[in-house]
């Protein structure tokens, strides 16, 4: 595995993931028992995100929400860092939630510290936001985290804003998510094969928001709060609508992108990394991709993109011809971003 911080993907407006959530749930339920055996990059992402949280956030943590908790890879790291905290585990897959609770309890976490929630995270965020008027400080979250789950959002802008509004004053939203360019070898090989066979191009993976998308979405609550505060005379903005700056040497946040208000500083620490893995062949690579739920789940193309043998053989040849390494193995790349947003106290 190698890591870099460069990105070659051209930014473009994000048009939506169009994910078939029911299909995603079924796949994760089916493979929950073996997920950890194949989740190489997901494990790295959870560890890296936990490390960033531990070095950038020094406030007290009593309530954590893990969005798309999976088998609990990230929650396990965080409960070790914050032994006084309880955790809400949100995932659409009942089997994943069950696996996470089992893992955490076997690691010594008391069941009373866990609040398992089987739900589509986007629907859960919307529901929690609807209850905001009746929520008190004790019901807010000090830390909301997510690793390798945001790519399943069909409404990422709305959901990201909703998550920020669920934070307590001084709270943190920290996430790791996939970026454009992820699995590019596989997608490009399919595209080349389809072109060679005279077949129409079919999306065979998710669309990923670019850096500019995320920075704009994460700053939207800031701009809304500033506008609202300017109209009020009592200067009592809602606690979770006010963002402050987290500074880091590796931050690539652009003030012009983050906020149009002159008094609002950059508020997002944003880092990107590229992880490259090598496999003995395409079948082994595809097995890992499928076991972690990363197969095609685009609602509009799942049926149209059924894989036939001719296309598969051509894709394998294109993959080997273009990407085969000197030792005979083939590579697969994951582009990842780590984002941290902190609220003012």
């Amino acid at each position: 595995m190698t890591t870099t911080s460069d990105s070659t993907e051209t930014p473009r407006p994000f048009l939506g993931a169009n994910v078939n959530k029911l299909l995603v749930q079924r796949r994760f339920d089916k493979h929950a028992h073996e997920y950890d055996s194949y989740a190489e990059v997901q494990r790295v992402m959870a560890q890296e995100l936990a490390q960033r949280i531990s070095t950038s956030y020094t406030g007290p943590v009593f309530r954590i929400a893990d969005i798309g908790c999976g088998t609990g890879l990230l929650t396990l790291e965080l409960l070790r860092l914050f032994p006084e905290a309880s955790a809400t585990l949100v995932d659409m897959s009942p089997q994943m939630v069950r696996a996470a609770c089992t893992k955490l309890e076997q690691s010594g976490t008391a069941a009373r510290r866990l609040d398992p929630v089987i739900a589509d995270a986007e629907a859960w965020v919307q529901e929690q936001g609807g209850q905001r008027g009746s929520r008190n400080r004790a019901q807010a979250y000090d830390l909301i985290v997510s690793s390798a789950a945001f790519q399943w959002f069909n409404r990422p802008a709305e959901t990201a804003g909703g998550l920020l509004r669920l934070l307590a004053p001084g709270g943190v939203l920290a996430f790791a998510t996939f970026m454009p360019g992820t699995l590019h070898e596989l997608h490009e090989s399919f595209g080349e094969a389809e072109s060679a066979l005279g077949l129409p191009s079919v999306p065979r993976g998710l669309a990923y928001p670019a850096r500019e998308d995320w920075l704009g979405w994460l700053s939207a609550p800031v701009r809304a709060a500033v506008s609202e505060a300017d109209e009020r005379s009592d200067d009592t903005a809602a606690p979770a609508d006010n963002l402050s700056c987290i500074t880091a040497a590796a931050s690539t946040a652009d003030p012009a992108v983050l906020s149009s208000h002159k008094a609002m500083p950059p508020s997002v620490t944003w880092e990107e990394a590229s992880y490259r893995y090598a496999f003995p062949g395409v079948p082994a690579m595809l097995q890992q991709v499928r076991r972690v739920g990363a197969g095609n789940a685009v609602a509009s193309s799942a049926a149209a993109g059924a894989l036939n043998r001719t296309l598969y053989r051509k894709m394998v040849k294109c993959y080997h011809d273009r990407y085969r390494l000197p030792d005979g193995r083939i590579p697969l790349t994951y582009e990842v971003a780590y984002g941290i947003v902190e609220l003012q106290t």
Side-chain angles (χ1 to χ4, degrees):
M1 180 187 74
T2 59
T3 65
T4 68
S5 58
D6 295 329
S7 176
T8 60
E9 192 76 16
T10 302
R12 79 285 177 271
F14 184 70
L15 302 178
N18 194 26
V19 171
N20 182 332
K21 297 287 187 74
L22 181 58
L23 180 59
V24 172
Q25 178 204 319
R26 288 173 176 171
R27 287 177 175 172
F28 279 123
D29 277 344
K30 180 179 180 181
H31 297 295
H33 69 285
E34 58 184 352
Y35 181 88
D36 287 355
S37 299
Y38 293 92
E40 292 184 74
V41 71
Q42 289 81 4
R43 183 176 296 103
V44 171
M45 291 167 69
Q47 293 170 345
E48 288 287 319
L49 183 59
Q51 176 62 31
R52 283 163 170 78
I53 292 169
S54 69
T55 57
S56 65
Y57 182 58
T58 58
V61 175
F62 299 106
R63 297 193 76 219
I64 299 172
D66 188 348
I67 306 301
C69 67
T71 59
L73 292 172
L74 178 55
T75 305
L76 181 63
E77 299 284 341
L78 294 177
L79 291 182
R80 289 169 176 167
L81 288 173
F82 306 107
E84 300 301 316
S86 62
T88 299
L89 307 173
V90 184
D91 202 290
M92 70 176 70
S93 164
Q95 296 302 323
M96 283 291 199
V97 173
R98 187 172 293 112
C101 290
T102 298
K103 175 187 295 181
L104 293 165
E105 290 177 25
Q106 289 179 345
S107 73
T109 302
R112 58 180 170 76
R113 297 174 62 194
L114 304 177
D115 177 23
V117 177
I118 300 171
D120 172 9
E122 293 192 285
W124 179 82
V125 170
Q126 184 177 26
E127 178 185 355
Q128 296 298 303
Q131 301 172 2
R132 186 181 175 194
S134 61
R135 296 173 68 88
N136 56 40
R137 172 62 180 81
Q139 294 174 310
Y141 292 97
D142 304 298
L143 183 60
I144 297 179
V145 299
S146 181
S147 184
F150 277 15
Q151 70 273 11
W152 303 117
F153 287 176
N154 285 327
R155 305 183 306 278
E158 176 184 338
T159 304
L163 288 170
L164 291 173
R165 285 184 280 272
L166 297 180
L167 286 171
V172 164
L173 168 66
F175 62 92
T177 190
F178 295 113
M179 297 290 287
T182 293
L183 310 185
H184 73 87
E185 299 95 340
L186 178 60
H187 301 318
E188 289 166 8
S189 297
F190 264 120
E192 185 177 336
E194 287 167 336
S195 178
L197 295 173
L199 299 174
S201 179
V202 174
R204 296 186 180 276
L206 300 176
Y208 300 103
R211 169 181 172 271
E212 287 73 14
D213 296 317
W214 282 113
L215 296 183
W217 297 335
L218 293 169
S219 68
V222 177
R223 293 193 296 269
V226 169
S227 298
E228 183 180 350
D230 287 344
E231 296 175 359
R232 293 201 304 259
S233 59
D234 57 5
D235 193 27
T236 55
D241 281 344
N242 212 355
L243 296 176
S244 64
C245 177
I246 303 176
T247 57
S251 176
T252 58
D254 181 352
V257 174
L258 287 171
S259 178
S260 60
H261 195 279
K262 63 181 180 180
M264 190 62 57
S267 57
V268 180
T269 298
W270 187 265
E271 299 178 84
E272 296 182 14
S274 181
Y275 302 98
R276 194 187 197 201
Y277 295 86
F279 300 86
V282 170
M285 178 271 293
L286 287 177
Q287 182 182 44
Q288 184 186 61
V289 168
R290 289 166 176 162
R291 291 300 190 277
V292 296
N296 190 17
V298 180
S300 62
S301 63
L307 186 60
N308 62 61
R309 292 183 180 180
T310 301
L311 177 59
Y312 175 79
R313 287 195 296 266
K314 186 65 175 178
M315 181 276 291
V316 171
K317 184 178 187 306
C318 291
Y319 207 125
H320 285 174
D321 290 347
R322 177 181 289 196
Y323 296 111
R324 185 161 42 199
L325 302 171
D327 63 3
R329 296 184 299 168
I330 60 165
L332 188 68
T333 302
Y334 293 87
E335 303 293 344
V336 174
Y338 299 94
I340 298 180
V341 186
E342 184 176 19
L343 302 187
Q344 290 181 347
T345 56

